[in-house]
Amino acid sequence: MSALRPETGVPSPSSPPELDAALAAGGLVAAKGTTPQAGPGEEDELIRVRWVMPEGFFELPMEADTIEELADQMMDLSRRVLPEGSADMQLEWAIMCMASYDMLYEAGVQYSAFVMTEVDETRCTAHVNVSLIDLVDDALDRPAAAIAAALRALELGEVQEFRLPCGPAVSCVGTRQAVVDKSITPSGVDEPFWTSFIQVQVPLSNGTAVVLEMSTPTPEGWEVFSQMFAGVAKSLRLYDEVGRPVVMAG
């Protein structure tokens, strides 16, 4: 599977075919059975997934072949994120980020980025993750409705079916508690904290779904980040194997 590469532009309905094809080249390729936890599937339709990220986001490295390569890439990132920080501060930040990679892998995350900004003089941060999941066979007839029903059963938050330019989608807005592992906290104990999130799932015709999620632990930035994420979701575009735009039915 190709690494995720969000675009700096997205085709509009009036975009020329050559622009659509250029934006479709490379990127996330969705195919049944390609998610980390999934086994081989019967569907072999490939769908390329593209979206637009706002400026100011830092992407976590997701293509390292070895732990040493990942450590080097993370240190490069820490120097960009903390250009005026000391070497010890940059190292501690890199270690903290690397500690989250097991969780990202278990969740099937293939693209992860974050932003730091000030909102009303408060330092705020938000993360955006993108992953692919395989849908269960029972959900294939009406996938959006099945996803919505499953999310409501989990009682994760407010669930709504809606439509994006690329097809039907389901959103879930809520809060959840997370924990910073004691191995990287100054106190030496696990430190819980609350995050607010918006998750959008877009079912695809090949039995998979694209999952986009924005989360933030800083309530002061919720309005700004949620509006930003709405733009990211609306920018999602789908293409077939030869780069033709496709829209999911439903």
Side-chain angles (χ1 to χ4, degrees):
M1 181 179 296
S2 302
L4 301 181
R5 283 286 183 264
E7 298 294 339
T8 56
V10 69
S12 66
S14 59
S15 298
E18 59 268 26
L19 175 58
D20 288 346
L23 291 180
L28 182 157
V29 180
K32 182 75 171 179
T34 58
T35 56
Q37 293 88 0
E42 297 181 355
E43 301 291 339
D44 58 1
E45 178 189 5
L46 297 180
I47 300 175
R48 299 187 183 277
V49 184
R50 315 297 294 194
W51 68 95
V52 178
M53 289 298 293
E55 294 183 0
F57 272 79
F58 295 96
E59 297 180 13
L60 292 181
M62 304 295 285
E63 298 182 18
D65 294 324
T66 65
I67 189 65
E68 291 80 10
E69 185 178 351
L70 175 60
D72 289 341
Q73 293 177 2
M74 192 61 74
M75 283 303 302
D76 289 341
L77 177 60
S78 70
R79 296 184 188 101
R80 290 193 288 118
V81 174
L82 304 170
E84 298 180 2
S86 66
D88 287 344
M89 184 183 299
Q90 293 170 348
L91 177 60
E92 290 177 1
W93 185 91
I95 293 173
M96 180 183 67
C97 287
M98 289 186 66
S100 68
Y101 268 68
D102 285 345
M103 179 182 66
L104 293 177
Y105 178 78
E106 291 173 1
V109 173
Q110 299 178 42
Y111 173 87
S112 184
F114 66 94
V115 65
M116 297 181 295
T117 188
E118 287 192 2
V119 179
D120 295 332
E121 300 183 351
T122 300
R123 192 69 169 171
C124 298
T125 183
H127 286 77
V128 172
N129 293 334
V130 185
S131 57
L132 283 172
I133 60 173
D134 281 344
L135 298 175
V136 298
D137 291 341
D138 291 344
L140 298 182
D141 289 338
R142 299 180 59 207
I147 291 172
L151 291 173
R152 291 190 180 103
L154 292 172
E155 298 182 348
L156 297 175
E158 181 181 349
V159 177
Q160 180 179 357
E161 294 183 54
F162 66 107
R163 190 169 187 88
L164 289 171
C166 63
V170 180
S171 67
C172 181
V173 181
T175 59
R176 60 177 171 233
Q177 190 177 53
V179 175
V180 179
D181 190 85
K182 61 184 179 182
S183 64
I184 57 174
T185 61
S187 64
V189 298
D190 291 344
E191 296 184 1
F193 64 97
W194 286 93
T195 63
S196 301
F197 70 89
I198 305 175
Q199 185 181 104
V200 173
Q201 296 195 28
V202 180
L204 306 180
S205 56
N206 61 2
T208 67
V210 184
V211 182
L212 302 92
E213 181 176 291
M214 182 280 294
S215 62
T216 175
T218 46
E220 296 86 354
W222 173 255
E223 183 175 354
V224 171
F225 294 142
S226 59
Q227 290 177 355
M228 171 275 299
F229 184 69
V232 174
K234 290 176 182 178
S235 76
L236 195 70
R237 295 294 187 272
L238 307 173
Y239 301 86
D240 63 16
E241 294 180 70
V242 297
R244 293 173 299 198
V246 294
V247 175
M248 297 295 104

